[in-house]
């Protein structure tokens, strides 16, 4: 299973490339999601991510997240590879989640890379500018624990994701435009390795060409139906 921002959309978290509300139609990633942007204006970048942390913390998993958690409890070999940096899969009860793009909730030092523990997420963020805290080891600035543009997905995460794609019988791809690499390669890898690929997305995407079935529905509607069908066939 591969999930993208559309997986969290019905929990109220905006996608990136949605025309109306997409984060990248309202904000410029060059100003907010690169290491250079952080060097240029730390308070702007940190404040924006704290705003996203507060937003994600206030959101709740929906019926699709719940259905996947239930599936994981009856099919322990289920792997959820997600590009999402929220924790909605885990809060629904899924434990086998691989975060390809990191996590909003794992800030680390920009200088020495040590994890920064104990950051208190405010309930709401009125001002997008916020000075980042300092690392308790080296005094460097603390950065968000996500993968920025121009950075690589960690080798371990990619190796694990690729292995799942090569070994699975079925890859369900939910809510991704399929344009960001290397995650975008996973459906094709699964297909080449003999798996069926099912896409769940209300509209066509770059994944659709590799999909054996394109289910034009939303995550919160299609996933509970899919899990129910898998359960009654097992
Ligand atoms: P996008 O915003 O590019 O795509 C979201 C996809 O979800 C679109 O194809 C929508 O049609 C679909 N969608 C919207 N609502 C849905 C719903 N309720 N159910 C199912 N699908 C729905 O987001 P991603 O593909 O996840 O990376 O973006 C990939 C990466 O680009 C992100 O992880 C982020 C971004 O830049 C980094 O920040 C590194």
């Amino acid at each position: 299973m591969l999930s993208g921002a559309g997986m969290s959309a019905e929990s109220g978290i905006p996608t990136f490339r949605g025309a109306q509300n997409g984060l990248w139609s309202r904000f410029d990633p060059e100003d907010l999601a690169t290491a250079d942007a952080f060097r240029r204006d730390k308070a702007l970048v940190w404040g924006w991510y704290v705003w996203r942390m507060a937003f994600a913390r206030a959101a709740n998993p929906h019926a699709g997240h719940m259905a996947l958690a239930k599936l994981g409890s009856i099919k322990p070999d289920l792997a959820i590879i997600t590009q999402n940096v929220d924790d909605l899969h885990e809060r629904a009860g899924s434990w086998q989640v691989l975060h390809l793009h990191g996590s909003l909730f794992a800030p680390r030092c920009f200088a020495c890379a040590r994890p920064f523990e104990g950051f208190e997420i405010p309930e709401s963020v009125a001002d997008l500018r916020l000075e980042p805290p300092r690392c308790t080891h080296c005094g460097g600035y603390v950065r968000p624990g996500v993968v920025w543009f121009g950075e690589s997905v960690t080798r371990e995460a990619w190796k694990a994701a690729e292995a799942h794609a090569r070994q699975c019988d079925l890859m369900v791809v939910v809510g991704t435009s399929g344009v960001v690499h290397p995650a975008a390669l996973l459906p094709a890898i699964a297909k080449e390795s003999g798996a069926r690929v099912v896409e769940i997305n209300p509209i066509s995407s770059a994944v659709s060409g590799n999909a054996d079935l394109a289910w034009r529905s939303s995550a919160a509607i299609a996933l509970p139906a899919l899990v129910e069908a898998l359960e009654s066939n097992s």
Side-chain angles (χ1 to χ4, degrees), residues 204-219:
S204 164
S205 77
V207 175
S208 306
N210 277 312
D212 296 285
L213 171 69
W215 193 344
R216 297 285 166 238
S217 182
S218 79

Side-chain angles (χ1 to χ4, degrees), residues 50-126:
V50 172
W51 170 71
R52 288 183 58 201
M53 287 178 208
F55 211 86
R57 184 48 49 87
N60 289 307
H62 59 61
H65 294 104
M66 297 300 183
L68 285 176
K70 185 173 171 204
L71 183 64
S73 68
I74 46 183
K75 268 188 78 53
D77 57 345
L78 172 74
I80 301 176
I81 304 164
T82 188
Q83 298 164 84
N84 297 344
V85 292
D86 61 54
D87 58 354
L88 294 177
H89 283 300
E90 288 91 337
R91 280 203 273 137
S94 291
W95 68 89
Q96 55 289 72
V97 188
L98 201 161
H99 282 273
L100 266 186
H101 293 168
S103 164
L104 284 172
F105 306 111
R108 65 176 187 273
C109 177
F110 191 53
C112 74
R114 282 193 179 88
F116 181 75
E117 311 284 349
F119 177 68
E120 298 257 337
I121 301 166
E123 281 195 8
S124 63
V125 177

Side-chain angles (χ1 to χ4, degrees), residues 12 65 74 112 119 128 146 154-155 162:
H65 294 104
I74 46 183
C112 74
F119 177 68
L128 271 192
V146 302
T154 68
R155 253 160 70 96
E162 195 185 6

